[in-house]
Amino acid sequence: MDKIRIRGGNRLDGVIPIAGAKNAALPLLTASLLTDDTLTLSNLPDVADIKTMIQLLQHHGVAVQETAKDDGSRGPVSLCAGPVNDTTAPYDLVRRMRASILVLAPLVARFGAARVSLPGGCAIGTRPVDLHLKALTQLGANIELSEGYIEATAPNGLTGANIVFPFVSVGATENILMGACLARGETVLSNAAREPEITDLARCLLAMGARIEGIGTDTLRIQGVDHLTGAEHSVVPDRIEAGTYAMAAAITGGRIELAGIRRGLLEAALDKLSQAGVRITETEIGIEVSAEPGGIIGVDVMTEPFPGFPTDLQAQMMALMTVANGASMITESIFENRFMHVPELARMGADINVHGASAMVRGVPRLKGAEVMATDLRASSSLVLAALAAEGETMIGRVYHLDRGYERIVRKLAACGADIARLSDRGPI
Ligand code: UD1
């Protein structure tokens, strides 16, 4: 199994192009199921989760045409879901990626039936899908659970409804938004998530002929239409990738220009970095993040739904706080078990105490390289950050977690001066 070796201590300096957002691309890909026309998506990130989703869609019978740019990177992808030949999303594919659940509502809305394995994915808490199922039932679907599968049927199509989510769920909002576009009549989604990835999905659905009001707010009003058409859409930049590299600049005392990102996509995280003593400047091509000579100052952080501080940057922020001057209290309010990076950071010399949903991080002067193991996608990137700042060599195992969501991370960091290499059992690759 591949490992990443990092020899820490280099100050990073350079420009990193930010890829399209994985978490926007996944629901956008499943939106192709809503029409028999061609949906063409550009700026899709070249990461494992996107390949898994494309495989799942092909399994359903979607014709997928992939292209490559001159430099070999991923080009626009065209998807055409004519007559779908199989409405079952099998365990083998769904267990690799929780977001597979996002085929559920589009399949039921357009074909009247779906059979989707209960998902696996990142091991961060129990992560049930009850909100998706309850809301889909409110749209008139009949749902049964059998042998590990969700069996949903709506032979006469879905019907609009007033749905109030008991708490904010990104995935449930996306799933039900897509289903409601083809439902009969009006659907109102209250307490909807308003992450930029949802706004991006809603914009694409508008281009496909959907009627949606309230985009960017917590109340979405959807008038169902008989059918949707094809469209062309470019995926919004990845705010989590950008935030991760912003913290890489900060933790190494360096400077990185994040090309293609807008401040509004990650205001809360950039505000926290400013409070921590990091300089943030908007430039012509994106945002420049540079460390100030005084070092990092400890700040308190609580994760919240957008526009709050994203849970997907919590682990990376914690890595930064391990070397701050002073203490920092980091509270995770979205997921119940998202501190799996703590024992690994501790192996590198971090001083962290977890009390329930909060972690008290006391900054240490220096981390030390160690052998560590990635446990989930964002935890893995926190270990990369810690390793970049640590004295000596760090070996990170289970790199496939990083491959799920970071496009060419080794190359992007190396281009800014990091001493980083990916090793297979046979040596460097
Ligand atoms: C999405 C993101 C993930 C991010 C998360 C929160 C994708 C592919 N993934 O995940 O990277 O960390 O948003 O910003 O976009 N919950 C339930 N029942 C449900 C649904 C959710 O109890 O039916 C709970 C979850 O366990 C969690 C909370 O609600 O505690 C929020 O989860 P949700 O916003 O749904 O996350 P995902 O859509 O799975």
Side-chain angles (χ1 to χ4, degrees), residues 312-381:
D312 284 353
L313 284 174
Q314 178 257 109
Q316 299 89 316
M317 188 69 183
M318 190 181 294
L320 179 61
M321 290 297 108
T322 63
V323 292
N325 294 309
S328 153
M329 174 81 92
I330 298 191
T331 304
E332 173 56 58
S333 80
I334 309 285
F335 290 108
E336 64 194 40
N337 181 21
R338 204 171 197 181
F339 285 141
M340 272 113 61
H341 41 287
V342 169
E344 300 301 306
L345 291 171
R347 287 172 54 73
M348 300 178 71
D351 181 352
I352 308 170
N353 277 300
V354 174
H355 304 277
S358 293
M360 171 62 83
V361 187
R362 293 186 176 86
V364 295
R366 209 158 243 309
L367 296 172
K368 294 228 162 58
E371 192 139 344
V372 291
M373 209 165 64
T375 48
D376 68 61
L377 171 56
R378 306 305 171 182
S380 315
S381 58

Side-chain angles (χ1 to χ4, degrees), residues 22-24 26-27 98-99 102 124 126-133 167-172 174 195 239 311-312 334-336 338 378:
K22 165 184 87 76
N23 285 354
L26 292 170
R98 260 185 71 82
L102 294 172
I124 46 176
T126 46
R127 298 187 84 179
V129 289
D130 54 320
L131 295 193
H132 302 241
L133 303 189
F167 52 89
V168 175
S169 162
V170 173
E174 291 165 344
E195 269 60 9
R239 64 199 168 100
T311 171
D312 284 353
I334 309 285
F335 290 108
E336 64 194 40
R338 204 171 197 181
R378 306 305 171 182

Side-chain angles (χ1 to χ4, degrees), residues 71-248:
D71 62 359
S73 64
R74 184 188 280 292
V77 174
S78 296
L79 305 110
C80 184
V84 151
N85 54 19
D86 190 339
T87 51
T88 296
Y91 175 66
D92 192 39
L93 285 170
V94 178
R95 76 184 165 84
R96 281 199 249 155
M97 188 184 62
R98 260 185 71 82
S100 311
I101 188 75
L102 294 172
V103 300
L104 181 67
L107 283 174
V108 179
R110 179 142 165 253
F111 302 101
R115 193 166 165 268
V116 177
S117 169
L118 283 159
C122 275
I124 46 176
T126 46
R127 298 187 84 179
V129 289
D130 54 320
L131 295 193
H132 302 241
L133 303 189
K134 182 157 180 258
L136 198 54
T137 310
Q138 286 175 275
L139 291 183
N142 178 43
I143 293 183
E144 283 176 27
L145 297 181
S146 161
E147 296 169 354
Y149 277 79
I150 302 158
E151 298 187 341
T153 50
N156 301 317
L158 298 172
T159 314
N162 269 327
I163 294 169
V164 182
F165 291 113
F167 52 89
V168 175
S169 162
V170 173
T173 302
E174 291 165 344
N175 225 345
I176 302 308
L177 169 63
M178 289 190 277
C181 287
L182 287 182
R184 257 189 319 276
E186 180 179 89
T187 298
V188 180
L189 303 181
S190 304
N191 201 22
R194 47 197 173 119
E195 269 60 9
E197 292 75 22
I198 293 173
T199 299
D200 201 40
L201 171 65
R203 289 211 178 112
C204 178
L205 292 168
L206 282 185
M208 293 168 73
R211 294 174 58 199
I212 307 167
E213 284 170 27
I215 295 173
T217 75
D218 65 358
T219 306
L220 294 170
R221 195 175 285 271
I222 304 121
Q223 309 294 337
V225 296
D226 286 343
H227 74 280
L228 294 171
T229 62
E232 287 179 14
H233 181 83
S234 176
V235 180
V236 69
D238 195 323
R239 64 199 168 100
I240 306 302
E241 188 197 26
T244 303
Y245 292 130
M247 291 176 202

